[in-house]
Amino acid sequence: MQKLYVILLLILAGTSSFAQEHSFELWNKNQVEIAPWEKISITVAEKMHYSPKRNTLDLKYGEIFIGHQVLNWLEYGAGFRVSSTNLQIGEWLQENRTMVYADFGKDLKNFEFDLYNRFEYRIYKSLNNYFRYRHSLRMKFPAITDWGLQFYLQEEAFIKLNGEGTHLARFYSGLTAFEKEHIEIKIYYALQKRQVLNHWLSGDIVGLNLSFEI
């Protein structure tokens, strides 16, 4: 239990230290995964970003992925997302996104390492379309309890392939609060760095993910 207290204090301390200086958002993602055939999965998800300061949604999207678990350490697949971003002027910017991915996983003793790779093509009506690469590395620590309480750290970066390079990065510290055969609950804090007009802006995120398998 002492480990759990230390982890929670680190998350809360990080949140309180940044929230006064940076933008702050609450994120929620809900997803359902089904396996209609052996080693084939279909995942449907929705996500919302909420700004308490402005009392409005900043982003909302729905997506679907089809994946193939070809090996126990390798999964690849493709997906499509429809997203709307609040431009803060009463207008919503819609994006259609096609994605392909390849994820790798490895267990080292009681630690889990996952490497995520995704290529995206972002399509807009009023902006230029472009390709983007998303890279992420996650490390999960040994489980603390029998019901799957587990601490994890994760980083991710988004690189525009039109010559502009990295424009978005996030660093996560979180907990898999509950994990059983058909349900998983995650809570996390993330520090976000986003490039806008050649300036890097910081933001703080507290999120909740709910995942269900059928």
Side-chain angles (χ1 to χ4, degrees):
M1 288 300 293
Q2 185 177 3
K3 290 183 179 179
L4 175 58
Y5 292 145
V6 172
I7 291 168
L8 290 175
L9 285 173
L10 287 174
I11 295 175
L12 292 173
T15 304
S16 61
S17 63
F18 288 116
Q20 295 180 353
E21 302 176 4
H22 303 170
S23 64
F24 177 67
E25 290 183 329
L26 297 173
W27 289 10
N28 172 238
K29 183 177 182 180
N30 304 303
Q31 73 175 34
V32 177
E33 179 180 326
I34 62 174
W37 303 283
E38 185 179 1
K39 296 186 178 181
I40 300 295
S41 63
I42 300 175
T43 304
V44 179
E46 64 169 5
K47 191 175 184 181
M48 294 180 292
H49 298 179
Y50 173 76
S51 171
K53 182 178 180 179
R54 299 193 301 117
N55 191 28
T56 185
L57 291 177
D58 283 342
L59 182 143
K60 54 185 177 182
Y61 72 69
E63 65 183 12
I64 182 170
F65 280 95
I66 299 177
H68 180 202
Q69 188 76 43
V70 59
L71 298 168
N72 62 354
W73 53 269
L74 171 61
E75 179 181 340
Y76 68 89
F80 182 77
R81 177 185 297 178
V82 177
S83 175
S84 295
T85 303
N86 192 342
L87 299 180
Q88 303 183 18
I89 56 175
E91 296 181 2
W92 288 84
L93 176 65
Q94 182 171 327
E95 173 201 346
N96 296 325
R97 186 184 307 184
T98 302
M99 301 169 282
V100 294
Y101 71 91
D103 298 338
F104 303 87
K106 178 67 175 180
D107 293 345
L108 294 177
K109 295 185 178 180
N110 293 324
F111 291 83
E112 301 176 36
F113 295 87
D114 296 292
L115 177 63
Y116 303 99
N117 302 276
R118 188 173 76 208
F119 287 93
E120 310 171 338
Y121 185 56
R122 308 184 74 185
I123 304 171
Y124 301 93
K125 287 186 178 180
S126 55
L127 299 177
N128 294 330
N129 305 331
Y130 64 89
F131 288 95
R132 187 172 74 170
Y133 168 63
R134 180 251 189 183
H135 159 86
S136 181
L137 177 63
R138 181 180 69 181
M139 179 178 68
K140 298 180 73 174
F141 290 80
I144 300 173
T145 66
D146 294 336
W147 66 81
L149 191 65
Q150 193 171 26
F151 177 56
Y152 69 90
L153 297 174
Q154 184 172 353
E155 60 83 22
E156 66 177 346
F158 296 83
I159 304 170
K160 291 183 178 181
L161 301 181
N162 59 0
E164 297 184 22
T166 303
H167 72 108
L168 178 64
R170 301 187 185 108
F171 305 90
Y172 298 82
S173 60
L175 286 171
T176 300
F178 183 84
E179 183 176 12
K180 286 297 183 181
E181 184 178 359
H182 299 291
I183 184 172
E184 181 183 69
I185 302 173
K186 291 182 179 179
I187 56 175
Y188 59 87
Y189 161 77
L191 171 63
Q192 177 173 266
K193 296 290 185 177
R194 181 167 55 96
Q195 188 179 42
V196 178
L197 300 176
N198 296 322
H199 294 282
W200 286 93
L201 304 180
S202 298
D204 301 289
I205 300 161
V206 173
L208 171 66
N209 291 351
L210 301 177
S211 301
F212 303 91
E213 293 184 10
I214 300 176

